[in-house]
Amino acid sequence: LMKQRVIHVFTHDSIGLGEDGPTHQSVEHAASLRLIPNLDVWRPCDTVETLVAWSEALQRRSGPTCLLLSRQAVAFLRSDADADAAAKGAYVFSEAPGGLKKARAVIIATGSEVPLAMDAQTSLSEQGIAVRVVSMPSTTIFDRQGAAYKSSVLPEGLPRVAVEAGITDGWWKYVRATGAVLGVDTYGESAPAAAVYRHFGLTVDNLVAVVTR
């Protein structure tokens, strides 16, 4: 409301803290924060996106920023650091094998679920199904981009599947009626992180099944 440059750093992101139970699994925070007017929200997938988020937060003079960071060990997957693209809120993290003309779907992911999307892309490629992987670390910043850029990242006519370890409601505006969202619409569970991810269907096999059905 006051348009102050305040930077909030949220840690212990989402259901990855499985043993600590639902009180520590903030499945609703990302979705709730994205609804606050004039608040930029970042959920980066790696060090590059985290540096971009921090840089953008420091440069922002018209309002606060939230950085949603994980305590999990998240794989570093990129072969080049496209910081300029990441600063636009969403970008093509990995093009479909054979290029966009071969793509049959787009997987949109954030944070710790980007590696999941990449593994699904590999698995689907082995089945002869090419998909584009889009990392969307900041929906709020992506929403401010022009129509041409948005359509270059999320082309019309391609089915879209979003995956995030949190509430699914906010993702429907990106995947639309013909798409699907893989997420968590209940509070978490107390179990090792890998077991919690399996319990909620946040696995490569399930993501592949969602894309292909």
Side-chain angles (χ1 to χ4, degrees):
L1 181 64
M2 296 176 66
K3 300 181 181 180
Q4 298 297 304
R5 189 191 65 179
V6 180
I7 302 173
H8 306 272
V9 179
F10 284 54
T11 61
H12 297 58
D13 173 65
S14 199
I15 62 172
L17 294 177
E19 294 89 340
D20 293 335
T23 58
H24 287 64
Q25 297 170 10
S26 49
V27 296
E28 77 284 6
H29 284 187
S32 300
L33 291 166
R34 289 168 181 150
L35 292 174
I36 299 175
N38 200 39
L39 177 66
D40 278 354
V41 180
W42 289 84
R43 189 171 184 256
C45 75
D46 60 12
T47 51
V48 173
E49 289 186 1
T50 302
L51 288 169
V52 169
W54 180 248
S55 176
E56 292 296 309
L58 290 176
Q59 295 178 60
R60 189 170 191 232
R61 301 291 180 178
S62 58
T65 301
C66 277
L67 276 61
L68 312 184
L69 306 179
S70 177
R71 204 179 70 174
Q72 300 164 242
V74 180
F76 187 84
L77 299 171
R78 70 180 71 235
S79 58
D80 59 349
D82 196 346
D84 290 339
K88 295 181 179 179
Y91 61 106
V92 178
F93 191 88
S94 178
E95 186 56 274
L100 180 58
K101 290 184 178 180
K102 298 289 186 180
R104 304 217 349 230
V106 177
I107 300 177
I108 309 167
T110 77
S112 51
E113 284 66 69
V114 171
L116 174 61
M118 291 293 291
D119 288 343
Q121 183 191 53
T122 299
S123 180
L124 287 162
S125 179
E126 292 170 353
Q127 300 176 38
I129 302 171
V131 299
R132 167 185 282 190
V133 173
V134 167
S135 177
M136 192 177 288
S138 179
T139 62
T140 50
I141 290 180
F142 181 67
D143 287 348
R144 295 201 293 267
Q145 303 304 315
Y149 181 74
K150 290 179 182 177
S151 62
S152 73
V153 175
L154 301 176
E156 296 293 338
L158 279 180
R160 306 168 188 174
V161 176
V163 55
E164 183 176 64
I167 299 297
T168 62
D169 283 2
W171 289 104
W172 289 102
K173 73 175 182 178
Y174 302 104
V175 304
R176 301 176 180 173
T178 57
V181 182
L182 185 58
V184 183
D185 285 320
T186 67
Y187 287 110
E189 298 289 345
S190 295
V196 175
Y197 269 78
R198 286 195 301 271
H199 174 78
F200 288 112
L202 292 167
T203 64
V204 174
D205 288 345
N206 194 37
L207 180 53
V208 167
V210 170
V211 172
T212 54
R213 72 185 178 202

